[in-house]
Amino acid sequence: MRVAMFTDSFLPARDGVVNSILTTKAQLERLGHEVFIFAPEPCNGYRVDDVYYFRSLTYKRYPGYSFSPFPTNKCEILNDLDIDVIHTHGLLFMGVRSVFAARTMKLPVVVSFHTMITDAAKYYAPLPIPEWMTNRLFWIYLKQLLERADSVVAPTAAIKSELLTYAPAMHRVEVIPTGVDCERFHPENDGSAVRRRYGLDGEKVLLHVGRVAMEKNLDLVIEGFSKLLRKDPMVRLLIVGDGPAKKHYQEAVRDRGLDGRVVFTGFIPDEELPQVYAACDATVIASKFETQGLVGLEAMASGKPVAGINYRAVKELIRKGENGYVFEDDPDSCAEAMRCVLDRSEQMRWSARRYALGYSVQLSVEKLLELYEYSIERKRMVLEGKVF
């Protein structure tokens, strides 16, 4: 099968969408399929071989990300590549492009709903539009995108339910989480070098991995950690990643007198992430923005329990006392959940791992291939006038 994947973000940017594309692409290619990436041109001149770039502009409010509003000849390229199915991982400009390309080329289109853009828009909107209005406009647009697709991928049941509320006429929506590479992320990985690098030897380490952005709700993590530290002075918080709100969160740490207990690592190469997870005792996710929370599954595959907010996709991943604990949107609740996962880290190590095995990349790609085949058949029947 020959698959064209459209995305609004790609390397060198690193986020859940990019990781999902890379993981899925690698597994599809291991199975003998061919995958072609279509992405906005990076603003820094970075290039990856075999990626088809769209001329783009830079998001001024979100450094490192680009968008491509210009006309292109990508339909000709799709035709030359003899594509079987278009799979769009982007919901904005690239989502629109993928749907128009699919219509022009008479190809099936699958949409993956990775990003709850309505939640993030309030932080990055170029104009001071009321939040209720932004949400309404986005959902009017997203409804059209989702209902025009041959099929839709929701990473979790919570997201599927939400999408059905706004776009009830979708042709087919399936829960297919992004798979985690359970061979790469494993409890036997060695994190000692990471501990030495950041001066963490002999201490309990709580880990946060992801973009350092406002929608990640790190203020709650920092406030909860401050409360936890009063009860357990041997705890350290390791914040891995970079992003537009890094300065804000560094100031929050300084304001609370946590400079010596919170470490901002900045960007860490993807190949080092297994060792980063291995270096911690537990992880924390406070973001309400997540449609899946892949970092939570990577942590579990590494044998690390997760303290996660009791909201949307994150709460769906956590089984109390088995692979983690949930907390409410409250610093005291957050502190208590972090204490529980740190104190019971060893007891939950292998049960967390067993849970993650149910989300392996192999299982996820098997489900995705079935959905591709359905979408190809549906498009064939539509073209023959058998489906309306």
Side-chain angles (χ1 to χ4, degrees):
M1 192 177 298
R2 297 168 71 83
V3 183
M5 290 189 174
F6 282 62
T7 177
D8 287 309
S9 61
F10 198 60
L11 299 171
R14 275 288 183 176
D15 56 25
V17 177
V18 177
N19 290 337
S20 176
I21 291 169
L22 293 174
T23 301
T24 303
K25 179 177 184 291
Q27 180 62 18
L28 285 168
E29 289 174 342
R30 277 194 288 268
L31 295 173
H33 304 283
E34 295 182 82
V35 179
F36 306 91
I37 306 297
F38 291 76
E41 186 176 47
C43 57
N44 59 2
Y46 183 96
R47 294 289 183 278
V48 177
D49 290 341
D50 300 325
V51 173
Y52 296 91
Y53 290 107
F54 290 79
R55 188 162 63 95
S56 65
L57 299 173
T58 302
Y59 279 117
K60 292 182 180 180
R61 297 176 66 89
Y62 208 132
Y65 286 79
S66 304
F67 64 100
S68 50
F70 306 106
T72 73
N73 66 339
K74 293 301 186 290
C75 283
E76 296 172 20
I77 294 172
L78 288 168
N79 187 56
D80 291 342
L81 291 173
D82 193 24
I83 295 298
D84 295 301
V85 61
I86 292 175
H87 185 173
T88 181
H89 297 262
L91 299 175
L92 297 174
F93 282 94
M94 297 301 282
V96 173
R97 288 185 181 281
S98 68
V99 170
F100 277 119
R103 179 186 294 178
T104 302
M105 304 301 298
K106 296 182 172 55
L107 290 171
V109 61
V110 176
V111 173
S112 276
F113 198 93
H114 291 290
T115 308
M116 195 57 68
I117 54 177
T118 51
D119 289 8
K122 61 185 175 183
Y123 298 113
Y124 308 110
L127 298 173
I129 302 173
E131 188 176 342
W132 69 266
M133 186 180 297
T134 302
N135 286 349
R136 183 171 182 181
L137 291 173
F138 264 123
W139 278 115
I140 290 171
Y141 157 70
L142 290 170
K143 180 178 187 293
Q144 294 297 315
L145 178 70
L146 296 170
E147 292 183 349
R148 289 173 187 271
D150 292 282
S151 55
V152 174
V153 175
T156 53
I159 297 303
K160 176 180 178 178
S161 177
E162 203 163 335
L163 295 184
L164 285 168
T165 299
Y166 291 103
M170 290 181 290
H171 300 297
R172 179 175 174 180
V173 55
E174 292 291 334
V175 175
I176 305 177
T178 294
V180 61
D181 188 341
C182 294
E183 295 180 5
R184 183 166 171 252
F185 297 99
H186 195 281
E188 301 303 328
N189 288 330
D190 183 5
S192 57
V194 175
R195 278 185 167 262
R196 287 194 299 271
R197 184 192 309 168
Y198 297 107
L200 304 172
D201 284 336
E203 301 194 80
K204 298 177 186 177
V205 180
L206 189 67
L207 174 69
H208 183 278
V209 176
R211 290 192 318 282
V212 184
M214 294 303 295
E215 64 268 23
K216 294 296 183 176
N217 202 19
L218 268 168
D219 283 312
L220 177 60
V221 173
I222 291 167
E223 184 61 33
F225 178 75
S226 178
K227 292 178 177 291
L228 174 64
L229 199 58
R230 296 169 198 167
K231 298 179 180 179
D232 189 347
M234 296 302 292
V235 177
R236 299 283 292 277
L237 174 62
L238 191 66
I239 297 177
V240 173
D242 212 339
K246 185 176 180 180
K247 183 178 179 181
H248 165 83
Y249 290 124
Q250 287 175 325
E251 289 175 353
V253 166
R254 283 194 295 271
D255 290 345
R256 290 169 176 78
L258 302 174
D259 275 335
R261 307 309 299 173
V262 179
V263 178
F264 288 88
T265 69
F267 173 77
I268 287 183
D270 188 61
E271 57 268 21
E272 294 183 29
L273 280 181
Q275 289 70 46
V276 170
Y277 285 112
C280 77
D281 296 287
T283 58
V284 59
I285 305 173
S287 171
K288 296 181 176 181
F289 176 72
E290 306 307 308
T291 58
Q292 178 177 342
L294 184 58
V295 295
L297 287 173
E298 291 174 347
M300 292 176 195
S302 304
K304 309 299 178 178
V306 178
I309 195 162
N310 188 22
Y311 190 80
R312 201 179 265 154
V314 175
K315 72 175 182 180
E316 194 173 309
L317 294 176
I318 295 176
R319 303 292 180 268
K320 182 179 178 181
E322 177 186 335
N323 59 12
Y325 288 85
V326 296
F327 56 85
E328 304 305 322
D329 193 359
D330 170 78
D332 290 312
S333 179
C334 180
E336 178 61 17
M338 291 191 290
R339 184 192 65 78
C340 288
V341 291
L342 286 169
D343 288 351
R344 301 198 63 238
S345 178
E346 276 303 310
Q347 294 96 311
M348 289 189 283
R349 185 183 191 194
W350 289 104
S351 58
R353 167 72 178 177
R354 285 193 295 273
Y355 182 84
L357 289 173
Y359 288 82
S360 72
V361 65
Q362 292 87 348
L363 292 174
S364 294
V365 169
E366 284 177 13
K367 295 176 183 177
L368 185 59
L369 283 169
E370 189 277 329
L371 195 62
Y372 284 167
E373 290 167 358
Y374 160 83
S375 301
I376 291 169
E377 179 62 15
R378 181 183 184 280
K379 177 59 70 174
R380 184 188 66 79
M381 294 182 70
V382 167
L383 294 174
E384 292 177 359
K386 297 176 181 177
V387 175
F388 300 92

